[in-house]
Amino acid sequence: MPYRLCLALLALTTAGATNAAMTETRTWQAGDHHVHSRYSGRFKDGKYVLGTDGIYPMVRNAEEARRYGLSWMVAVDHGGPGLSVQRAEQAYPELLAARRDVPEVIQFYGMELDTPGGDHSSLIMPLDSGERDGLRHFESAYAKDEVEDPARDTTAKMLQMLREMTVMTDRPVIIANHPSRSALGVRDYHGHTPAELRAWNDTAPDIAVGMEGAPGHQGASLKPGVMPQTLRARGYYEKSPTFGGFDAMTATVGGVWDSLLGEGRHFWITASSDSHRNIADGGEDFWPGQYAKTYVLARHTPEDILDGLRKGRVFVTTGDLVSELDMDVAGASIGGTAHVKSGHTVTIKIRLRDPAGANAHGDHPAVKRIDLIMGNVTGKAAPDADTQPSARVVKRFTAADWTRDGEIITLSYRFTADKPAYIRLRGTSTDEAEPLPDPVGENPWPDLWVYSNPVFIELK
């Protein structure tokens, strides 16, 4: 189908779906912003060979996303010398075909940006008629591997790109991928650093909105025929381990994420598959939605899903431990801000769905505990700050503390509002008080967690 006709049909379909959905109530939409296709290849003898890193056609990824309950996903592939042309001329038409064949899954166009001055990031384009040319421009002008030019590989170059994006009417979204995977140890940052994440967010707060709390590549121990000498760590986190499958920046109470939230910074976490090759096909990855899900409270439209990602209406979970998670703090919900009078008692109301059905592994995991984490909002911190001493678990809830009605669990907590703060939730299927470092060879399926983004509290 000619490119212009595809765009016309896309515009008509999107407009119709958007108008119909505007009257819908927002619900939890499961998705994945980090899915590779056969267009993530490798160079061999000077030629770029498709299917040598990621192996699946885009339509197969979308079909599996649908199978595992996703309503949205982002098609991202790696960059490289001159690959902006290939992405626009070959990968994009395949994405249009996948959208046509699997319309139930909203499929965003993007790339895993080889980030100037950092590690990888999911660059997500708004789903509109300018997506192809827009991504081609940003990739050709800024991706550090597009050309052999060391001057591109600087945070200053990344900030230049972000400043250009801020003047767009419909802005992209950027999420830092596997933030500690390149670290040389816990708190020994390399690639993505706290200072870099702050600089991005300061420059473009509604574009550079967060990081992967739970990275992909979680099936390394399940690879067929894997032996002790070939085992890789969960997420490929070789020197800075994951904790319950989550990056140390997220999993450490009082760590990097809390230090960002303690500034009052709207900086959110997500989860992804980083799918390249499924364990069933000899790989180390799960399909989109098979293990990790990013839930966005949104209508089933591209615009509202991106809006939910920007504004933090998000929780993440593994192993289908939880499928709904709502928190009400004086009328504010996840990603929002509650305005309360100083000295007043505030009741936090929490509702979650612990699904009764089997997950993709055939298990029926149960929530054993929910942790309520609070920290003070104390204002701007140093660029490289990575601790927040006030962050703490203020209450650990077990079945004795909540009410269950079928799949629905409800609980509440009261506190006196005496300073600006934020509240976030964490839950688990395990007996670990705090998530432990994941040993090489660990089976990920019994080690399940759920994390919410925060609600902020401002005093009147």
Side-chain angles (χ1 to χ4, degrees):
M1 184 181 295
Y3 173 63
R4 292 185 182 277
L5 180 56
C6 285
L7 290 183
L9 291 174
L10 171 63
L12 288 172
T13 302
T14 303
T18 300
N19 292 335
M22 285 304 292
T23 59
E24 294 179 4
T25 301
R26 283 174 171 154
T27 58
W28 288 111
Q29 308 277 335
D32 186 335
H33 66 80
H34 190 171
V35 181
H36 291 266
S37 77
R38 66 194 184 102
Y39 288 96
S40 285
R42 291 190 176 95
F43 281 90
K44 184 177 181 180
D45 298 328
K47 294 182 63 178
Y48 191 68
V49 183
L50 301 185
T52 51
D53 188 14
I55 66 172
Y56 303 110
M58 290 187 178
V59 68
R60 176 72 186 280
N61 286 333
E63 289 168 347
E64 296 296 339
R66 178 178 60 190
R67 174 186 174 194
Y68 288 107
L70 299 191
S71 62
W72 63 274
M73 58 170 277
V74 186
V76 301
D77 283 302
H78 290 296
L83 292 186
S84 59
V85 175
Q86 182 219 61
R87 193 182 315 278
E89 295 181 355
Q90 298 180 38
Y92 184 67
E94 186 167 303
L95 174 63
L96 293 180
R99 286 173 174 169
R100 179 198 65 214
D101 294 343
V102 191
E104 302 90 340
V105 179
I106 293 172
Q107 299 170 59
F108 292 96
Y109 183 50
M111 71 171 293
E112 183 163 29
L113 179 68
D114 29 288
T115 313
D119 204 320
H120 292 157
S121 308
S122 285
L123 168 53
I124 311 169
M125 298 299 295
L127 201 160
D128 60 27
S129 60
E131 59 186 358
R132 184 189 76 157
D133 293 339
L135 182 60
R136 181 172 180 170
H137 163 68
F138 290 120
E139 182 175 5
S140 63
Y142 295 101
K144 68 183 180 184
D145 293 340
E146 174 77 7
V147 296
E148 294 186 9
D149 181 5
R152 281 200 182 204
D153 191 11
T154 66
T155 298
K157 190 70 173 178
M158 179 66 175
L159 301 185
Q160 180 184 345
M161 183 184 75
L162 290 171
R163 283 191 291 269
E164 181 177 341
M165 290 176 172
T166 61
V167 302
M168 298 172 64
T169 301
D170 296 315
R171 300 176 178 88
V173 165
I174 292 178
I175 297 169
N177 290 340
H178 40 72
S180 295
R181 196 172 80 182
S182 298
L184 303 180
V186 176
R187 300 188 68 187
D188 188 358
Y189 310 108
H190 185 72
H192 293 316
T193 67
E196 176 188 50
L197 297 177
R198 283 185 169 91
W200 295 8
N201 188 248
D202 286 340
T203 302
D206 66 342
I207 297 171
V209 297
M211 62 183 177
E212 277 182 348
H217 301 311
Q218 296 263 359
S221 67
L222 307 177
K223 181 178 181 178
V226 70
M227 296 179 289
Q229 61 268 32
T230 60
L231 267 174
R232 300 189 69 176
R234 283 174 74 173
Y236 301 165
Y237 275 50
E238 306 297 345
K239 296 181 179 180
S240 177
T242 53
F243 295 75
F246 279 73
D247 190 287
M249 288 190 180
T250 293
T252 304
V253 174
V256 172
W257 189 32
D258 283 314
S259 76
L260 296 168
L261 299 179
E263 298 180 89
R265 191 181 294 273
H266 288 191
F267 198 79
W268 321 117
I269 62 164
T270 60
S272 82
S273 64
D274 201 350
S275 175
H276 288 67
R277 185 188 299 256
N278 191 262
I279 53 176
D281 296 319
E284 298 168 322
D285 305 329
F286 292 111
W287 290 113
Q290 185 179 3
Y291 182 72
K293 287 181 170 73
T294 295
Y295 280 93
V296 180
L297 188 65
R299 303 177 186 92
H300 190 60
T301 68
E303 296 82 4
D304 211 39
I305 289 169
L306 278 190
D307 182 73
L309 286 171
R310 288 187 210 280
K311 295 178 180 175
R313 301 192 304 268
V314 172
F315 77 88
V316 301
T317 191
T318 52
D320 290 319
L321 182 62
V322 171
S323 59
E324 298 175 14
L325 178 57
D326 300 298
M327 180 164 47
D328 183 297
V329 184
S333 55
I334 292 172
T337 301
H339 300 273
V340 301
K341 291 184 177 180
S342 180
H344 276 217
T345 298
V346 178
T347 299
I348 303 171
K349 300 176 183 178
I350 299 164
R351 174 192 176 277
L352 61 92
R353 183 179 293 275
D354 183 356
N359 64 16
H361 193 241
D363 301 328
H364 297 262
V367 177
K368 288 189 176 180
R369 194 185 73 249
I370 295 290
D371 297 333
L372 182 65
I373 300 169
M374 294 185 67
N376 299 334
V377 174
T378 54
K380 199 165 183 67
D384 59 353
D386 65 350
T387 62
Q388 166 57 298
S390 71
R392 70 280 186 200
V393 178
V394 297
K395 176 68 175 177
R396 297 186 190 274
F397 299 91
T398 64
D401 303 304
W402 61 57
T403 300
R404 179 184 280 272
D405 182 6
E407 296 182 333
I408 304 300
I409 293 173
T410 56
L411 54 143
S412 63
Y413 179 79
R414 293 162 64 88
F415 72 100
T416 300
D418 57 359
K419 54 180 68 71
Y422 64 89
I423 300 164
R424 61 184 181 88
L425 298 176
R426 178 185 67 186
T428 183
S429 66
T430 74
D431 295 317
E432 298 173 8
E434 293 295 322
L436 299 175
D438 297 323
V440 175
E442 180 183 34
N443 183 348
W445 284 106
D447 189 20
L448 305 182
W449 294 79
V450 56
Y451 284 69
S452 81
N453 278 292
V455 176
F456 290 94
I457 298 170
E458 291 185 359
L459 303 183
K460 294 181 182 179

